[in-house]
Amino acid sequence: MTLIHGHDAPLAAFRAAMHGPRLHHAWLLTGPEGVGKFTTALQFARRLLAEGMGLDRDTPGIDVPIQHPAAKLLDAWSHPDFALLDRLPKDEKVAQGKPRNEWAKDEERARSIRTDQVRALNPLFATAPSMSSRRVVVIDDAETLEVSAANALLKRLEEPPTGTIFLLVGHSAGRLLPTIRSRCRVLRFEALDDQAMRAVLNGALPEASAAETQALIAVGQGSPGRALRFAGLDLAGLDRALQELAEHGDPQNARRLALAQQLSGKAAQARYEAFLQRVPSFIADVARSRSGDGLKLALDQWEKARTLAALAVPTSLEAQNTVFTLAGHVAALAQNAPSAKA
């Protein structure tokens, strides 16, 4: 079963192309970060390789049975007709000593895809596909290709090896060489709606409470990848604290001081960064329910919070003061809260 949600249009377009008269040799999957482009590219690769190994093309969607040899080999990163280019771990011992499926998710990566990685594909292209009638090359973070690496890839896109399909994944397509973009068919991916976000998060975090899932949906802003980075940080608790500030204010500074203490220090760094992400969107949600002076106040606080939250990490602002100030922007909303008028 396909574990891809919210991208019906690009999936349908690729399936139609697969079964058309001639499948284009290069595709660019582009859109916001964390919405599932890389996962989809791997699923496209499974389906392409599986059909090249005899899978019935009438199998629904882009599904591949989990016991199919193409799926099992690809999941083990050992399919001989598949190659993946992405940023390698900075630690060469990890890159050379462990198979890709054993790399840690938080392994620090190089800043770019190197030229020698692209050239290392040459022996693969020198022979015909061995198990499938097709060969698939997935390039993740394609915009990080070094200039010389991009030029080396361009040569392959200009004269594609027989039976080879290139799937490029990029968050910032404008950073790719125009000559590369011009040789690719583009599949655009959009941020997921709340229903699709909930489906992804329920599958990835089956033990999460409804409140925590809702908080992750809010902080994810249509990106499951972003939301999952903050899993396990009790975002529902942060949302409750923000809601109390917005409804009751903080005339004695007690709520703001408590938050500032909770979210400062190295151990709280991940939760602090989640707070930075959440506050501007929380204020924006409040603004949508207001009009007149209440709306003006909310928009003013949103602009201030958005600016501060964006600067906090890049400029290494002190966490405790930053949290206190951001919480103050939320508390200011109480001036026009319904409870304040009663």
Side-chain angles (χ1 to χ4, degrees), residues 16-84:
M18 282 178 60
H19 299 147
R22 184 177 180 183
L23 177 62
H24 193 69
H25 70 281
W27 295 76
L28 173 60
L29 287 65
T30 185
E33 186 173 1
V35 298
K37 301 184 300 298
F38 179 64
T39 299
T40 303
L42 291 181
Q43 187 61 25
F44 285 166
R46 286 187 187 89
R47 182 61 183 244
L48 287 165
L49 294 169
E51 286 197 12
M53 297 168 67
L55 178 71
D56 186 348
R57 59 185 288 173
D58 290 331
T59 301
I62 57 167
D63 291 347
V64 176
I66 59 174
Q67 294 302 316
H68 192 280
K72 295 173 72 172
L73 286 168
L74 194 58
D75 289 345
W77 302 108
S78 59
H79 199 296
D81 300 321
F82 172 81
L84 172 63

Side-chain angles (χ1 to χ4, degrees), residues 62-297:
I62 57 167
D63 291 347
V64 176
I66 59 174
Q67 294 302 316
H68 192 280
K72 295 173 72 172
L73 286 168
L74 194 58
D75 289 345
W77 302 108
S78 59
H79 199 296
D81 300 321
F82 172 81
L84 172 63
L85 290 183
D86 62 354
R87 295 176 297 119
L88 295 174
K90 282 189 174 182
D91 187 342
E92 293 188 2
K93 293 181 180 178
V94 173
Q96 298 174 4
K98 292 183 179 180
R100 189 175 298 271
N101 57 340
E102 293 183 12
W103 294 354
K105 289 185 178 181
D106 59 353
E107 188 71 49
E108 188 175 7
R109 302 291 188 96
R111 294 183 61 182
S112 59
I113 299 172
R114 303 193 309 259
T115 307
D116 63 309
Q117 291 177 254
V118 179
R119 290 176 176 163
L121 297 175
N122 291 340
L124 184 70
F125 297 141
T127 60
S130 58
M131 292 186 67
S132 176
S133 61
R134 291 166 168 156
R135 177 184 291 121
V136 182
V137 178
V138 172
I139 305 173
D140 193 24
D141 291 331
E143 66 268 31
T144 69
L145 285 157
E146 293 177 344
V147 174
S148 55
N151 285 322
L153 174 64
L154 179 60
K155 293 179 181 179
R156 290 297 179 183
L157 298 182
E158 290 173 336
E159 300 178 6
T162 302
T164 300
I165 306 298
F166 293 89
L167 302 173
L168 283 67
V169 178
H171 317 310
S172 303
R175 291 171 55 192
L176 280 168
L177 290 178
T179 44
I180 287 181
R181 295 200 307 269
S182 68
R183 283 162 176 78
C184 296
R185 279 194 59 180
V186 176
L187 291 175
R188 299 193 183 280
F189 288 67
E190 305 294 341
L192 274 61
D193 61 25
D194 286 1
Q195 181 178 355
M197 284 284 290
R198 186 170 286 103
V200 175
L201 294 175
N202 285 343
L205 304 169
E207 302 301 321
S209 68
E212 185 69 10
T213 299
Q214 187 59 42
L216 288 170
I217 290 171
V219 79
Q221 296 181 315
S223 169
R226 182 188 297 120
L228 289 169
R229 289 202 298 270
F230 299 123
L233 300 179
D234 186 26
L235 294 194
L238 287 182
D239 267 11
R240 287 193 297 272
L242 293 175
Q243 192 64 45
E244 289 178 0
L245 283 166
E247 290 180 0
H248 307 297
D250 190 26
Q252 303 301 320
N253 296 339
R255 292 188 174 96
R256 282 177 284 177
L257 284 172
L259 268 176
Q261 291 169 358
Q262 290 174 24
L263 300 177
S264 59
K266 290 185 178 180
Q269 181 65 25
R271 203 160 184 248
Y272 166 61
E273 292 182 9
F275 181 80
L276 296 177
Q277 291 271 345
R278 182 64 182 120
V279 170
S281 60
F282 178 88
I283 297 175
D285 289 341
V286 172
R288 292 187 185 96
S289 67
R290 294 188 173 187
S291 60
D293 290 342
L295 174 60
K296 182 180 178 182
L297 172 70

